[in-house]
Amino acid sequence: MTNEIKYKIIDSTNDEAQRQIQNGVAPKGDFVIRADFQTDGRGQRGNSWHSTNAQNLMFSYVFYPEKLEVQHQFMLSQAVATAVAQYIKQKGVDNVSIKWPNDIYIGMKKICGMLIENTVSGHYIKYSIIGVGVNINQDTFPDNLPNPTSLNLTTGKTYDLDHEFNILIDLIRQNLYSISRQNASSLTQQYKSLMLGLDRTLIYRSGGKVFKGIIRDIDRHGYVTIEDADSSIIQSYAFNEVNLVIPEQKKEN
C-alpha cells in the first residue's frame, strides 16, 4: 500500500507534498497527500480548482520513477489520465474521454483535472507530484465554471469516498509502474483511443484564431497534430498553444 497522509483542510495537496519532501519529513518512497478541502487548489494554466468540502477526491500522488528520462515525461500524464478514464468507465459511464493533455470528460463536461509537477535531476525525473481532482458526489457548481459534472450527476448514485479512493489509487499505481520505454507505443495507443476530438471536427482556438479542427495524432512528447477542417493544413501544437473551445453547456442542478 502507498502511504497516505490525509488532511481535513489544506492549501494545496501538491504544495504540501513538495513541502514535506523539501523539509525531509516525507515518507520514504511513493506517498499520497489527500484532503477533504483545499483553500488554494491549483489546475493547469494557473487555474484554480473548485470543490465542495468532503464531496470529491482531491489528492497528490508522489511518484519516484525509475530511470524515466525528461524527454519521456508525457508518459506520466498518459498513464494517470488513462487510469482515471478507466476508473470512470468502470462505473458504467459512457462517453468518457481524455481532453488533451489530461483532463477527463464525460461528453463535453469536465469531471477531472490534473496538475503534474516534475522535479528533474540531470536527464531524469527525480520525482513527480501528480495532483488529481475528481468530482464524485458534488451536485451543484458555481455558475462561473463552464462545464463541470460529477459521478453523482452522471449516475444518480452517492459514493463512499474512501472506497473510491482506494480503487482509483490502485489503478493509477498499476499504470505508473507499468511505464517503460518498451511499452511507450502501447501506452500512446491506449491514450489515443480515449482522446476527445480524435478524427472528429471540433472548435479550437490558437493565437487568437478560432478554427474547426480535427485531431489526427499525438506523439510521445505530447505534441498534438490538428488538421484545419477548412484549409486541410496540418499543424503540430505544444501544450498551451491551442485550446479546445467548449460549447455552452446546459447547467446541471
Side-chain angles (χ1 to χ4, degrees):
M1 289 293 292
T2 303
N3 284 305
E4 177 193 349
I5 304 166
K6 187 175 180 183
Y7 295 87
K8 290 288 187 182
I9 185 170
I10 202 170
D11 55 351
S12 158
T13 57
N14 268 34
D15 288 351
E16 177 61 19
Q18 189 70 264
R19 282 192 294 265
Q20 294 201 14
I21 294 169
Q22 296 299 321
N23 294 334
V25 298
K28 297 296 183 184
D30 296 357
F31 67 98
V32 177
I33 300 290
R34 183 181 166 200
D36 284 337
F37 185 74
Q38 295 182 114
T39 59
D40 191 26
R42 294 182 290 123
Q44 297 281 14
R45 301 186 179 92
N47 294 327
S48 61
W49 179 261
H50 172 85
S51 179
T52 300
N53 185 34
Q55 293 293 302
N56 304 314
L57 291 179
M58 293 173 292
F59 59 89
S60 295
Y61 189 115
V62 179
F63 177 58
Y64 290 85
E66 185 175 343
K67 294 291 184 181
L68 180 62
E69 294 175 299
V70 175
Q71 63 176 323
H72 298 303
Q73 62 183 296
F74 187 59
M75 294 179 74
L76 294 167
S77 193
Q78 290 176 306
V80 180
T82 54
V84 177
Q86 179 186 359
Y87 160 75
I88 295 170
K89 287 167 72 74
Q90 286 180 0
K91 299 301 170 186
V93 178
D94 296 324
N95 205 13
V96 179
S97 62
I98 301 169
K99 174 182 164 289
W100 175 79
N102 51 29
D103 286 339
I104 309 301
Y105 272 51
I106 297 174
M108 294 299 285
K109 296 188 176 183
K110 182 176 177 179
I111 190 170
C112 171
M114 301 180 199
L115 178 63
I116 300 178
E117 299 176 305
N118 297 316
T119 296
V120 173
S121 178
H123 296 296
Y124 297 93
I125 293 175
K126 185 177 181 181
Y127 60 86
S128 181
I129 300 177
I130 304 163
V132 179
V134 187
N135 297 328
I136 303 293
N137 290 325
Q138 188 166 344
D139 58 5
T140 59
F141 292 89
D143 289 338
N144 64 328
L145 296 181
N147 62 328
T149 192
S150 67
L151 270 184
N152 174 272
L153 288 172
T154 304
T155 68
K157 299 177 182 177
T158 301
Y159 297 86
D160 181 283
L161 292 180
D162 290 334
H163 178 71
E164 300 307 317
F165 171 76
N166 290 331
I167 294 172
L168 180 53
I169 282 295
D170 282 345
L171 290 170
I172 290 174
R173 184 191 301 113
Q174 290 170 22
N175 273 20
L176 287 173
Y177 277 93
S178 70
I179 287 177
S180 69
R181 293 179 68 176
Q182 288 71 35
N183 81 342
S185 178
S186 62
L187 181 59
T188 297
Q189 289 304 314
Q190 184 182 9
Y191 177 93
K192 282 176 63 176
S193 72
L194 290 162
M195 278 190 78
L196 177 62
L198 184 69
D199 297 326
R200 175 185 172 193
T201 303
L202 295 173
I203 307 299
Y204 294 89
R205 179 183 289 110
S206 178
K209 174 189 175 184
V210 176
F211 65 100
K212 291 187 291 184
I214 307 163
I215 292 178
R216 294 302 189 191
D217 202 3
I218 190 164
D219 70 14
R220 62 194 179 103
H221 302 298
Y223 286 80
V224 66
T225 299
I226 301 179
E227 177 183 349
D228 187 305
D230 293 322
S231 68
S232 298
I233 294 173
I234 296 175
Q235 186 170 337
S236 182
Y237 298 91
F239 177 59
N240 269 345
E241 290 183 345
V242 65
N243 298 310
L244 177 66
V245 177
I246 303 297
E248 187 173 345
Q249 302 289 305
K250 180 181 177 182
K251 292 294 182 182
E252 294 178 295
N253 292 303

